[in-house]
């Protein structure tokens, strides 16, 4: 038997700040091997990843879990009420970096899977994919695992990502999709000059401000059947100009768009370039644009998988969870091309914060939900 609370505490004690492995995957490999799982490290370009399977490779009924053991930096250690890597349990609360996002989720699905295969071995396979690169660039984490699985004939029929999904109460929300994310960086290049003689210069700051206003004024859409409206935010404007009497030669701006299924990264990239081109023509200022799409919008339509998870959540919490696509990106954006995927996990109120923490009772409750999901899936 694996105690998900104790395993969470042990994982929190692993200093696995991206990209460090910190001993977290070594711990899980040992625990899962002891539980009868075949474990394989799938490290790529220095990024640590773990694949674990119980049952037959490529089985037609294969339930997968996905999660990560890497965490964000702790910030000011002196501001914490407990050692961020202590895994301390006090008054029914487990403290530490990763306690919520998402070492508790990993511990819960490891405990649930190990209990199932030991007590009621299923006719099928249970697959666990755990990465050490979700909080970083995510270029060699879950993507590396999926690439390896494709090459080796490994597969998941469906997948549940254990990210925190509940805003305030345990059991209130399942994620069935996510909005896409695109970051655009603009560099306006003008002609430097003295502010007293603006006719001899070409001001890139004015061009960037005009472009930012133009972009923010655009209503991208009004939302779709399962998604909120897309939103665009100007996150930075910078000239690096310390002088108040000099028109600078260049100005830079950064914009991020979270977009729904009415758009694509390529389509938005083209629109951003067109808008930058129009401002360049109007102002005579050169405009360079680079875009980076970290994920496309995706949706697993409501159906058998989300119904299965919702029934288990309702049985253990008494709440009927809503199906949502809110929030930021997750590794589900990679898995959606492999198999149907949804996300369900803990209340995420303290993730990435000083004094990140989780109620011990929630960890046990989450493990029970995951166990119920597995039991019904293989029934």
């Amino acid at each position: 038997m694996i105690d998900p609370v104790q395993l969470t505490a042990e994982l929190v004690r692993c200093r696995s700040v991206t990209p460090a492995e910190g001993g977290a995957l070594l711990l899980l490999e040992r625990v899962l091997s002891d539980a009868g799982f075949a474990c394989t490290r799938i490290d790529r370009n220095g990024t640590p990843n773990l694949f674990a399977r119980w049952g037959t490779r490529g089985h037609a009924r294969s339930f997968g879990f996905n999660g990560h053991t890497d965490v964000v930096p702790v910030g000011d250690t002196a501001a914490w009420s407990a050692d961020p890597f202590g895994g301390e349990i006090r008054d029914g609360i487990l403290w530490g970096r990763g306690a919520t996002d998402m070492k508790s989720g990993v511990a819960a699905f490891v405990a649930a899977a190990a209990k199932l295969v030991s007590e009621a071995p299923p006719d099928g396979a249970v697959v666990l994919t755990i990465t050490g690169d979700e909080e970083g660039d995510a270029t060699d984490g879950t993507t590396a695992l999926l690439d390896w699985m494709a090459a080796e004939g490994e597969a998941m029929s469906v997948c549940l990502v254990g990210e925190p999904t509940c805003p305030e109460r345990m059991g209130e929300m399942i994620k069935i999709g996510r909005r896409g994310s695109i970051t655009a960086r603009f560099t306006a290049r003008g002609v430097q000059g003295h502010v007293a003689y603006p006719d001899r210069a070409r001001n890139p700051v004015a061009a960037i401000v005009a472009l930012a206003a133009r972009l923010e004024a655009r209503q991208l859409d009004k939302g779709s059947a399962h998604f909120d409206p897309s939103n665009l935010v100007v996150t930075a404007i910078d000239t690096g100009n310390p002088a108040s009497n000099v028109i600078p030669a260049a100005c830079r701006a950064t914009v991020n768009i979270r977009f729904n299924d009415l758009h694509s990264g390529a389509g938005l990239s083209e629109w951003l370039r067109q808008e930058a081109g129009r401002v360049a023509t109007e102002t005579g200022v050169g405009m360079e644009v680079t875009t980076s799409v970290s994920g496309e919008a995706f949706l697993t339509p409501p159906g058998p998988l989300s119904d299965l998870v919702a029934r288990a959540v309702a049985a253990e919490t008494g709440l009927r969870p809503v199906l949502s696509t809110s929030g930021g990106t997750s590794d589900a954006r990679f898995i959606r091309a492999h198999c149907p995927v949804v996300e369900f996990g803990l209340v995420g109120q303290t993730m990435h914060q000083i004094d990140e923490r989780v109620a011990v009772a929630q960890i046990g409750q989450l493990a029970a939900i995951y166990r119920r999901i597995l039991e019904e899936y293989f029934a």
Side-chain angles (χ1 to χ4, degrees), residues 164-321:
T165 59
C166 301
E168 295 180 1
R169 300 171 62 195
M170 185 65 177
E172 64 184 336
M173 184 175 289
I174 297 170
K175 304 284 188 180
I176 60 170
R178 294 277 188 164
R179 294 191 297 177
S181 176
I182 179 173
T183 297
R185 291 180 171 84
F186 303 90
T187 300
R189 299 194 184 279
V191 177
Q192 184 172 319
H194 196 295
V195 296
Y197 306 98
D199 54 309
R200 300 177 186 176
R202 194 170 295 120
N203 193 346
V205 179
I208 283 289
V209 169
L211 175 60
R214 190 170 191 150
L215 295 177
E216 285 210 320
R218 171 75 175 268
Q219 183 180 43
L220 293 171
D221 56 71
K222 296 182 179 180
S224 63
H226 294 285
F227 287 86
D228 291 335
S230 302
N231 66 281
L232 178 151
V233 177
V234 178
T235 59
I237 294 178
D238 180 49
T239 66
N241 179 18
S244 63
N245 62 345
V246 175
I247 296 171
C251 184
R252 295 169 178 81
T254 304
V255 167
N256 183 265
I257 303 176
R258 298 302 169 103
F259 59 94
N260 59 33
D261 55 350
L262 298 176
H263 304 276
S264 68
L268 289 170
S269 294
E270 179 59 26
W271 170 66
L272 290 166
R273 289 190 179 92
Q274 289 176 356
E275 292 299 313
R278 292 188 180 99
V279 171
T281 299
E282 293 168 2
T283 62
V285 170
M287 197 76 71
E288 301 167 8
V289 186
T290 62
T291 59
S292 174
V293 180
S294 61
E296 299 284 349
F298 73 93
L299 177 74
T300 298
L305 179 56
S306 56
D307 289 347
L308 167 63
V309 176
R311 284 193 298 271
V313 171
E316 293 292 336
T317 69
L319 295 179
R320 182 70 181 179

Side-chain angles (χ1 to χ4, degrees), residues 42-45 47-49 66-67 129-134 137-151 294 330-338:
I42 315 297
D43 295 4
R44 188 169 79 181
N45 294 329
T47 295
N49 303 294
N66 173 266
T129 56
I130 307 169
T131 180
D133 186 37
E134 195 273 346
D137 293 336
T139 54
D140 294 297
T142 293
T143 54
L145 284 160
L146 293 170
D147 289 345
W148 179 86
M149 288 172 64
S294 61
S330 75
D331 276 4
R333 69 189 188 273
F334 306 124
I335 299 168
R336 57 106 178 187
H338 177 87

Side-chain angles (χ1 to χ4, degrees), residues 15 18 62 140 248 289:
R15 296 173 179 265
T18 311
S62 178
D140 294 297
V289 186

